[in-house]
Amino acid sequence: AGIILYADLILRGGNLSAKDRERLAVIQEQGQRAADLTQKILDFATESMLRRQNLDVNDFLRDMQMQLAHTLPENIHLHLTCPADEVITFADPDRLRQAIINLTLNAREAMPQGGNLHIALQRLHVADGADAPLPEMSAGEWAVITIADNGVGIAPEALPHIFEPFFTTRAPLGSGLGLAQVYGIVKQHGGFVDVSSELGKGTTFWLYLPRVAE
Ligand SMILES: Nc1ncnc2c1ncn2[C@@H]1O[C@H](COP(=O)(O)OP(=O)(O)OP(=O)(O)O)[C@@H](O)[C@H]1O
Ligand SMILES: [Mg+2]
């Protein structure tokens, strides 16, 4: 953060040649990348500092809709399906936003020809003794965020590895940390992630977050 700040101060100081300004801009950009990378690593490696609060994911996703639409090209259509009433979780909105952005960016990469991105929110009640969507999930109240694209899909041999840090099929552009970060963030919230994918058809991710009594 210091690097970015000082580069910014020098930039504002004026008295710089165009060349120097360009160089400073590169320093700032690289500094930002380093900061982003550090946050990604912290998110899956450690208990990063969460600022959790009672968060209505319904409101939250509706608020994010614009931002998400802006990160997508015109030929990718975003569909958001939310229930009518509140879905309350105990979550850090910044971290949850990051997870959803990472999934959206992956979907964008998977649909170079355009397509549809469906984001849906549902409540899920798992009764005592009933089957949960994942065997590790306990009975109780859950919020389910589904993020589905109709892009290129993930090869069956790659699927078991996608949440591993540094696993990427997009090197050198991809760092392979996006999904590791998603996994870390969801785990820190006591949640679960699931995925299903078919080559040429698309990919669906499910985020399960514990719900707080409304
Ligand atoms: N929606 C998706 N459709 C198809 N493949 C996907 C999708 N999401 C993830 N993948 C695959 O999983 C890999 C790992 O994803 P991850 O987000 O962790 O890394 P990345 O996107 O390659 O790089 P980074 O997110 O760090 O820029 C991707 O390289 C890609 O092969
Ligand atoms: Mg990614």
Side-chain angles (χ1 to χ4, degrees):
I3 300 173
I4 304 164
L5 178 67
Y6 279 101
D8 197 43
L9 289 175
I10 299 175
L11 261 177
R12 283 184 207 196
N15 272 335
L16 290 173
S17 69
K19 261 254 149 57
D20 283 343
R21 282 184 174 279
E22 257 170 51
R23 287 175 180 146
L24 269 175
V26 173
I27 293 178
Q28 276 188 314
E29 214 177 275
Q30 296 295 327
Q32 190 57 52
R33 281 192 58 167
D36 290 348
L37 202 65
T38 311
Q39 187 59 53
K40 283 187 175 177
I41 292 169
L42 285 177
D43 273 336
F44 72 79
T46 62
E47 299 272 309
S48 65
M49 291 284 275
L50 290 186
R51 293 167 198 262
R52 293 173 82 168
Q53 60 190 65
N54 277 355
L55 182 76
D56 177 9
V57 190
N58 198 339
D59 233 25
F60 172 80
L61 285 177
R62 289 171 200 262
D63 282 351
M64 266 194 89
Q65 189 168 10
M66 276 290 222
Q67 184 192 359
L68 291 178
H70 280 304
T71 67
L72 297 169
E74 271 180 9
N75 58 3
I76 297 181
H77 301 285
L78 175 65
H79 310 266
L80 181 65
T81 313
C82 286
D85 44 1
E86 310 185 306
V87 178
I88 312 287
T89 57
F90 189 54
D92 180 332
D94 290 332
R95 306 324 304 138
L96 192 56
R97 185 176 304 112
Q98 184 69 59
I100 289 163
I101 288 171
N102 288 5
L103 292 167
T104 300
L105 293 177
N106 283 349
R108 182 182 76 184
E109 299 307 324
M111 298 187 287
Q113 262 38 290
N116 290 295
L117 178 62
H118 287 272
I119 301 183
L121 174 67
Q122 282 167 300
R123 301 143 163 278
L124 171 71
H125 169 75
V126 178
D128 277 327
D131 274 345
L134 290 167
E136 317 88 271
M137 277 170 68
S138 56
E141 308 298 328
W142 297 89
V144 191
I145 303 172
T146 310
I147 299 181
D149 67 60
N150 62 344
V152 294
I154 302 170
E157 59 273 21
L159 202 57
H161 303 291
I162 58 170
F163 293 106
E164 291 168 11
F166 307 114
F167 178 87
T168 180
T169 59
R170 302 195 300 110
L173 288 179
S175 65
L177 287 173
L179 286 179
Q181 188 179 28
V182 170
Y183 183 85
I185 290 169
V186 172
K187 281 286 143 198
Q188 287 177 38
H189 284 85
F192 296 91
V193 189
D194 199 7
V195 59
S196 162
S197 187
E198 200 175 330
L199 273 180
K201 289 248 168 86
T203 305
T204 301
F205 286 90
W206 291 271
L207 309 187
Y208 298 98
L209 298 171
R211 218 164 74 218
V212 173
E214 280 111 17

